[in-house]
Structure formats: C-alpha cells, structure tokens
Amino acid sequence: MKIIILLLLCVFLITIQAQQKFPIAPEIWSEPVILDTVFARQWQEAASFTPNIDTAYYEGGAGIYMSFKKNDKWVSRVKLNSNINDQDIAYRTPTISKNGKRLYFSAWKGYGGWDIWYCDRDTNTNDWGISHNMGNVINNSWNQLFLYEISKDTVFCLSQSSTALYTWNNQKNNWVKADSFWYHDLGIGDIKGIAIPSNFKKIYYSRSIVYNPPKYWHNGDILVTYWDTTKNYWGDPYSLNINTIPKPYPDSSRYYGGGEFYPWISPNGKILIFTKYDYDDTTNSSPKIFISYLLVDENGIPVSIKDEHLDDTLATGYNLSNYPNPFNNTTKISYSIKEENFVKINIYNTLGEEVAVLVNEQQKKGKYSVTFTAHNISSGFYFYRIQVGSSYQAVKKMVLLK
C-alpha cells in the first residue's frame, strides 16, 4: 500500500512540475545551427565531446559511434568496438570522461533493465577495453539512463525515477550517494542529460514538458539552475531562450514543435551542444546535433567565444571586426578567412533573436567586408557572429546609437 501511495505521489509531482512554465534565463544564447553535416544524418543524439571539441561520442540509432576532427573537418562516424557495441544488447547515451580515457554509457544488461557501464582506453591496443558495470549502488532495478562525470570519484547519475550525486568511498571500496535531487526540479520528471561548466556555478539539463492543454508531451526543454550562495544549494530553474516553442495544430487538438535535450557545455561555459528534434505539422524528424554560442552571460555581460580553453581549436588566419563602433545606422563588418569555406554572418539582439543575415554563402580564402544598415531596430547592444564551416566561430558586440 505504501508503495502504491508513493508511486501516485510521484506521478502527481511529475505532472505538476511538467506543466510549470519556467521564466527565461538571464543568459542569452545564439540561434542554434547544426554542428556539422556529419551530425545531420538520421538519428544522432546524446553527444559528448572532449574538452577541445575535437572528438565526439554519440548514440547513432544502432549503437554508439564516434567522430573526430581532422584538418578542422569532422570525419564520418565510426562505430565503436564490440566491447561497447554488442550486437545482441542495446546501448545508449555515451559520455566521455574529462581526460578522454574513460567512456560511460547505458546498456540493457546488469541488475535489471538499463545499467551504467564504462570502458577504459587500452593503451596497448589504442582502443576501448572490456566494459565494466558501475555496481549495485549506482545501478538497481530502476533504469539508469545517463551518467555525467564531474571527476573520477564524483558522478551524477540519472535514473528513471530521480537524479543523484555519488562519490567514491575508499574505505567502503564503493560508491556512496552524496545528494539526492528528489525535491529539486532537477530530480523531478524525465531528465535527459546534465552538463556543468568547469566553474561549477550552474547546471544545464533537459526534461520533458507538458504544455496546456496537455495533449502533447514536448520532448524536452533545456533548463539551467544557478548555485544559490545564500541557500548553499541549487536555485530555481530557468528556461533557455533557444528552446523550441510548441505550436498548436490548426484544429488545436494537440501540439507539435520538437524539443532540445542532452546538453553538453564547453569547460568555459560558452559553447552549448545538444540534441534537437524538429517537428512540423506533417512529419517527425530524427534527432540531430546542434550548437549554440553564449552571447550574454547571466550577469548581463557580453561574451567573447575566444578563451584559453578553446585557443587551440581556433586556428590563426581569421579575423572579425566592425567600424565604426558605436555606430549610427550603418557600420562595416570586416573579416578574413584562411581557406575556402561556407561563411555565415548573423546579427542578434540582446534577446538572442536574429535580426539580420549578412552573409550566407561559400567564399574563397581572403579578406571581405559587408555593410550592416540598422533598419527598423532600436538603439542598444547588438552582436554579430561569424561561422566559417566547422573551423572557426566568433561573436563580437557593437552598439547602435540613433
């Protein structure tokens, strides 16, 4: 009887939380774009990257795959070996450790349903070794669906019922639950992925949302929670400005609109990569991997992409600037690219909304300039972003004074 009451309470809490409308986060992200054509194929989701964003591990619909950068280009996906992809067992949601030497994933085997397993990199074969179960503290009869490593001895685990933080105890030679998020939004509902920047001041995560009328379960919205120094705990959740807004069908009988989930954040917290479903009123698309850039942080400060954590991913030979700045109605944006590639230059307002596309074409190596004329927009801060294939990206601020 107690179990039945507990289950009913769980359903009630999940339903209430799922229908909650979250305020928009103070931080602002750029319009999401597909990371690369390699990640635009059928069924690409739950991607996890090495810190320099040069190797990706992800679920490919029929197992776990990897892609890596070669000469600034992403190579076609490669399926991982049979220590991870046993043809008779389902595998999903891989995450790579901070040092790139341990791969975690969820597999349909172990203590019942989905369990968390891991493989270590074999230095002799330069490939992934035998898989190991994470043990009966982390794994149990409930489905364990996702694990995120903060350090080798501290991990988050998402199960079908809750989210928990575990630490390794040397005396017990086992994992110990350090914190349960049952009473925080992070632990209620269908959580799909966790990501934390290196400063540990916020957590990005995704969970399913019910929209009112609740006739359609939105796949997921990416939320962020900030560390509350007064409570010494995680604060209220906020929704990111890049989440898809569901739209009703013409007869208003149900909703469609896709969703965002399984976020991955760069160590500096400035690049967000995630799985995105796009739906329209006639078709359902498979998940693909998208990328977005932080334009304004939670303190209202404009952000530059270039950072010490990513210097070695931004090759020399590129440039981006504008003059005059501040400007009155018209400014010239100058840029250079070191090789022929597809170039896109967008203008965003402080809400992360795109106000103009100045360049969207294949261009040869060289120096270029384009004029931006501020038609029908008000004075204030604006951001211009250049994307050169998958080789280079940068965001800069300009001020319009009328």
Side-chain angles (χ1 to χ4, degrees):
M1 184 63 182
K2 290 182 178 179
I3 295 176
I4 294 175
I5 294 174
L6 180 59
L7 289 174
L8 289 174
L9 178 61
C10 292
V11 172
F12 173 76
L13 288 173
I14 290 172
T15 301
I16 293 298
Q17 291 286 326
Q19 296 188 70
Q20 180 180 351
K21 293 184 178 180
F22 299 99
I24 297 295
E27 61 193 66
I28 300 172
W29 292 85
S30 69
E31 177 190 8
V33 295
I34 292 179
L35 175 62
D36 188 89
T37 54
V38 169
F39 303 102
R41 299 179 179 181
Q42 293 295 308
W43 201 274
Q44 316 273 342
E45 72 170 340
S48 179
F49 295 79
T50 50
N52 287 329
I53 318 181
D54 56 8
T55 307
Y57 298 88
Y58 50 95
E59 184 180 339
I64 296 176
Y65 293 78
M66 71 166 292
S67 294
F68 59 91
K69 272 189 173 182
K70 185 177 181 180
N71 298 325
D72 290 330
K73 305 291 184 184
W74 287 98
V75 303
S76 298
R77 67 181 191 175
V78 177
K79 192 170 186 178
L80 301 188
N81 67 30
S82 58
N83 288 329
I84 297 173
N85 288 310
D86 186 322
Q87 63 181 359
D88 297 322
I89 299 171
Y91 293 84
R92 59 187 300 186
T93 58
T95 59
I96 188 68
S97 65
K98 303 300 182 185
N99 62 10
K101 297 181 180 180
R102 174 168 289 187
L103 187 70
Y104 303 92
F105 50 90
S106 180
W108 186 259
K109 59 178 180 175
Y111 292 94
W114 295 96
D115 273 11
I116 301 296
W117 293 69
Y118 71 91
C119 286
D120 287 326
R121 194 77 179 174
D122 190 323
T123 55
N124 295 321
T125 63
N126 196 30
D127 204 348
W128 296 104
I130 301 298
S131 60
H132 304 275
N133 192 287
M134 290 289 288
N136 63 355
V137 173
I138 289 178
N139 294 312
N140 51 54
S141 58
W142 290 90
N143 290 325
Q144 280 68 50
L145 305 176
F146 184 90
L147 185 135
Y148 180 83
E149 181 193 277
I150 296 177
S151 64
K152 195 170 183 178
D153 58 2
T154 307
V155 298
F156 271 104
C157 183
L158 308 184
S159 75
Q160 192 174 28
S161 60
S162 63
T163 303
L165 180 71
Y166 296 88
T167 58
W168 181 258
N169 187 298
N170 287 325
Q171 293 181 337
K172 295 184 177 181
N173 195 33
N174 207 339
W175 294 97
V176 176
K177 184 181 291 187
D179 191 10
S180 176
F181 291 79
W182 183 254
Y183 297 105
H184 188 277
D185 178 78
L186 183 61
I188 299 294
D190 188 11
I191 308 297
K192 296 181 178 179
I194 285 179
I196 305 174
S198 58
N199 63 12
F200 301 104
K201 291 183 178 180
K202 46 189 173 180
I203 297 178
Y204 296 91
Y205 62 102
S206 174
R207 43 162 286 222
S208 295
I209 304 293
V210 171
Y211 285 87
N212 191 22
K215 296 180 180 179
Y216 179 83
W217 274 90
H218 197 37
N219 273 304
D221 276 355
I222 296 180
L223 307 177
V224 62
T225 178
Y226 304 102
W227 183 258
D228 190 324
T229 55
T230 59
K231 296 179 180 178
N232 201 31
Y233 203 69
W234 298 104
D236 295 332
Y238 295 87
S239 177
L240 297 190
N241 67 292
I242 55 176
N243 289 322
T244 303
I245 300 175
K247 303 174 183 178
Y249 276 102
D251 61 3
S252 299
S253 62
R254 58 194 178 104
Y255 281 64
Y256 65 91
E260 294 77 21
F261 44 100
Y262 295 116
W264 179 91
I265 192 76
S266 59
N268 63 10
K270 298 180 181 181
I271 297 179
L272 187 68
I273 304 176
F274 53 91
T275 302
K276 179 179 174 65
Y277 271 99
D278 277 325
Y279 286 98
D280 59 29
D281 58 350
T282 58
T283 61
N284 294 344
S285 70
S286 62
K288 299 175 176 62
I289 307 302
F290 280 69
I291 186 170
S292 180
Y293 305 94
L294 186 62
L295 300 178
V296 180
D297 68 17
E298 64 271 24
N299 299 309
I301 300 173
V303 173
S304 171
I305 292 295
K306 190 174 176 65
D307 188 89
E308 64 274 10
H309 295 290
L310 299 173
D311 277 349
D312 55 356
T313 70
L314 303 182
T316 59
Y318 297 101
N319 181 58
L320 179 68
S321 62
N322 80 297
Y323 182 83
N325 188 16
F327 67 101
N328 182 355
N329 199 44
T330 299
T331 186
K332 183 171 73 172
I333 296 175
S334 301
Y335 61 99
S336 59
I337 59 176
K338 73 169 189 175
E339 61 184 1
E340 181 176 352
N341 214 324
F342 194 89
V343 179
K344 188 171 184 179
I345 296 180
N346 312 67
I347 308 295
Y348 297 93
N349 61 21
T350 56
L351 296 177
E353 299 169 336
E354 183 182 89
V355 299
V357 178
L358 302 183
V359 178
N360 190 30
E361 63 183 13
Q362 188 82 9
Q363 293 186 332
K364 294 182 178 180
K365 172 184 176 180
K367 297 181 179 180
Y368 297 85
S369 64
V370 61
T371 299
F372 172 58
T373 302
H375 292 301
N376 302 320
I377 60 175
S378 59
S379 298
F381 290 106
Y382 290 87
F383 304 92
Y384 57 107
R385 179 174 75 90
I386 186 172
Q387 175 73 41
V388 183
S390 60
S391 303
Y392 177 75
Q393 63 280 317
V395 178
K396 291 193 175 182
K397 179 185 69 172
M398 57 186 176
V399 182
L400 171 61
L401 297 176
K402 289 188 175 182

